[in-house]
Amino acid sequence: MPVVRCRDSNSQLGGILLTVLAWPSRVNAADNTYTSRLSTALELCGVIVIEFSIGRALFSSYDVLHVHWPEGVLKNGRGRINGLARILAVVGVLFVVRFVRRRKVVWTVHNLRPHDLDRRASLALLRVGLGFTVGGYIHLSSASAPILSKIITRSKQSLQAVIPIGRYSGEFFPSEPRETTRARHEIFGENPLVVFVGQVARYKGVLDLAQVVHASTNKELRLIIAGRCADRDYAQEIECIASADSRIQFNDERLGSTGFANLMQAADVVAYPYTSILNSASVLPPLETRTRVLAPRIGAIPEMSKTVGEDWIITYEQPLTGSAIDEALRTASLKGSPDLTALEWPKIGIDTKAFYLAVMNYQGENQA
């Protein structure tokens, strides 16, 4: 498996003009700012970034098609036939881009399957299409490369690079003091507060978190779960526990960035007890408010923990236990700041541009 280690400086790359068709670039910024921030970082080092459309993919001038969540089309359609049709369209576009238009395709491996979806035939077809067309794979951590090589064996013939998720600086600003938020949620004195913020889903283990807190003998412990849950049956299960335990609050509605920031700042620990995950940017925003994160030792999380500091992203072996929460709360009293230098966007932009150029110049088996 050819691996690119991006060590080029901006001065070496700045004069090289490059146009990238990003799928997506900024169209999804209201839900996920990752690609928007990446686009800005790329533009700062001389890359022209164009928002993807099928028309642009087939007729516009560009050097690289950068794909992020090709499996996302499955979330927009119902039924297996509909899903297969959507994946066929995606694969068709990829083949035209790669073999008719002779452009390079790069895929950032965010997920290897959609969360909470079982579309095996559609995913199998998509993986075949990606295997034949992608010339470069960007991994957000080294954890995904071995898994990918087993699922898409042809990926071994293409270039690979590890470029991490960038930090969330300047995105989450609390609108009130920490004590004000805690008082508004009736968290008084030294009550240890664990918070889950974000979209609530089964794979995120939120019900497990509520059950562990409910079983805890610590009468001072408090838990706030804040975020919209689209699965109404799952929401009802969480609500049943919350209604039976005054220590647990469940706010089943979507939060804005200010609400996010206020709760992250108010927490002693932000918990993301995923049952399964490959990559997760969710563990990074709390660090911007210097709040510790508790997450399982799976997927990219151990590597992210080592990058920012193991006393900032505190990991545990599954399943989640009360002891893991207690240990995280003890660590929360420590002083200091997380080390986010490896996650600065200018470096990520430079490394990504260097990888594009490496893919464009690579003459391996999957690059004909």
Side-chain angles (χ1 to χ4, degrees), residues 27 30 48 53 96 114 128 137 140 162 191 209 222 234 238 244 254 277-278 299-300 335 345 352 356:
V27 70
I48 299 170
S53 72
V96 171
V128 170
Y137 295 85
L140 300 174
V162 176
N191 287 126
L209 174 62
R222 299 292 185 268
Y234 193 59
I238 298 169
R254 182 170 178 169
I277 198 72
L278 179 61
K335 304 296 183 182
W345 281 105
T352 304
Y356 291 153

Side-chain angles (χ1 to χ4, degrees), residues 27-191:
V27 70
N28 65 326
D31 297 315
N32 189 326
T33 62
Y34 169 81
T35 55
S36 175
R37 285 174 171 264
L38 176 61
S39 295
T40 299
L42 288 168
E43 288 164 349
L44 289 173
C45 57
V47 177
I48 299 170
V49 181
I50 303 172
E51 190 74 58
F52 173 86
S53 72
I54 292 177
R56 288 170 182 157
L58 300 181
F59 302 111
S60 292
S61 176
Y62 57 92
D63 301 295
V64 174
L65 169 62
H66 190 164
V67 180
H68 288 275
W69 295 279
E71 75 284 357
V73 297
L74 293 174
K75 297 180 180 180
N76 300 323
R78 296 181 178 180
R80 296 184 184 277
I81 301 300
N82 187 292
L84 278 170
R86 287 171 177 270
I87 292 298
L88 274 171
V90 170
V91 171
V93 169
L94 291 175
F95 268 81
V96 171
V97 168
R98 183 67 199 93
F99 298 110
V100 178
R101 302 218 58 205
R102 313 291 288 181
R103 301 295 189 264
K104 301 294 185 175
V105 179
V106 169
W107 176 32
T108 293
V109 187
H110 295 274
N111 304 311
L112 288 172
R113 59 163 293 166
H115 300 302
D116 297 335
L117 278 178
D118 184 12
R119 303 281 184 85
R120 295 180 187 178
S122 298
L123 289 172
L125 176 60
L126 176 61
R127 289 164 181 168
V128 170
L130 291 168
F132 276 95
T133 58
V134 173
Y137 295 85
I138 294 177
H139 301 281
L140 300 174
S141 79
S142 57
S144 67
I147 302 171
L148 177 69
S149 66
K150 294 177 182 178
I151 295 174
I152 303 177
T153 55
R154 287 183 63 89
S155 66
K156 299 175 185 178
Q157 302 170 8
S158 300
L159 288 183
Q160 318 261 339
V162 176
I163 303 176
I165 300 170
R167 63 180 297 185
Y168 284 79
S169 57
E171 189 164 331
F172 295 97
F173 293 103
S175 63
E176 59 191 16
R178 181 175 190 264
E179 294 73 18
T180 302
T181 305
R182 289 172 68 94
R184 184 155 42 80
H185 289 276
E186 299 183 347
I187 311 297
F188 300 111
E190 297 302 317
N191 287 126

Side-chain angles (χ1 to χ4, degrees), residues 196-200 225-229 250-255:
F196 172 94
V197 284
Q199 184 178 356
V200 176
I225 299 167
R228 181 66 177 158
C229 183
F250 179 29
N251 180 10
D252 184 10
E253 61 183 32
R254 182 170 178 169
L255 293 175

Side-chain angles (χ1 to χ4, degrees), residues 251-305:
N251 180 10
D252 184 10
E253 61 183 32
R254 182 170 178 169
L255 293 175
S257 61
T258 300
F260 254 83
N262 287 340
L263 280 174
M264 289 188 296
Q265 176 184 247
D268 295 293
V269 170
V270 175
Y272 288 110
Y274 296 104
T275 57
S276 64
I277 198 72
L278 179 61
N279 299 295
S280 176
S282 298
V283 299
L284 296 179
L287 303 181
E288 299 293 341
T289 61
R290 292 201 289 186
T291 304
R292 260 78 177 187
V293 174
L294 176 65
R297 203 169 292 131
I298 58 174
I301 292 173
E303 190 170 325
M304 297 172 78
S305 176

Side-chain angles (χ1 to χ4, degrees), residues 191-264:
N191 287 126
L193 175 60
V194 177
V195 166
F196 172 94
V197 284
Q199 184 178 356
V200 176
R202 290 182 185 272
Y203 77 93
K204 295 185 179 181
V206 183
L207 180 61
D208 297 338
L209 174 62
Q211 289 172 334
V212 169
V213 171
H214 182 54
S216 172
T217 58
N218 184 350
K219 297 187 182 301
E220 302 302 314
L221 180 61
R222 299 292 185 268
L223 170 64
I224 296 176
I225 299 167
R228 181 66 177 158
C229 183
D231 183 337
R232 302 319 300 161
D233 290 338
Y234 193 59
Q236 188 172 15
E237 291 181 72
I238 298 169
E239 183 57 46
C240 283
I241 294 178
S243 62
D245 192 329
S246 61
R247 298 174 299 172
I248 302 172
Q249 300 177 36
F250 179 29
N251 180 10
D252 184 10
E253 61 183 32
R254 182 170 178 169
L255 293 175
S257 61
T258 300
F260 254 83
N262 287 340
L263 280 174
M264 289 188 296

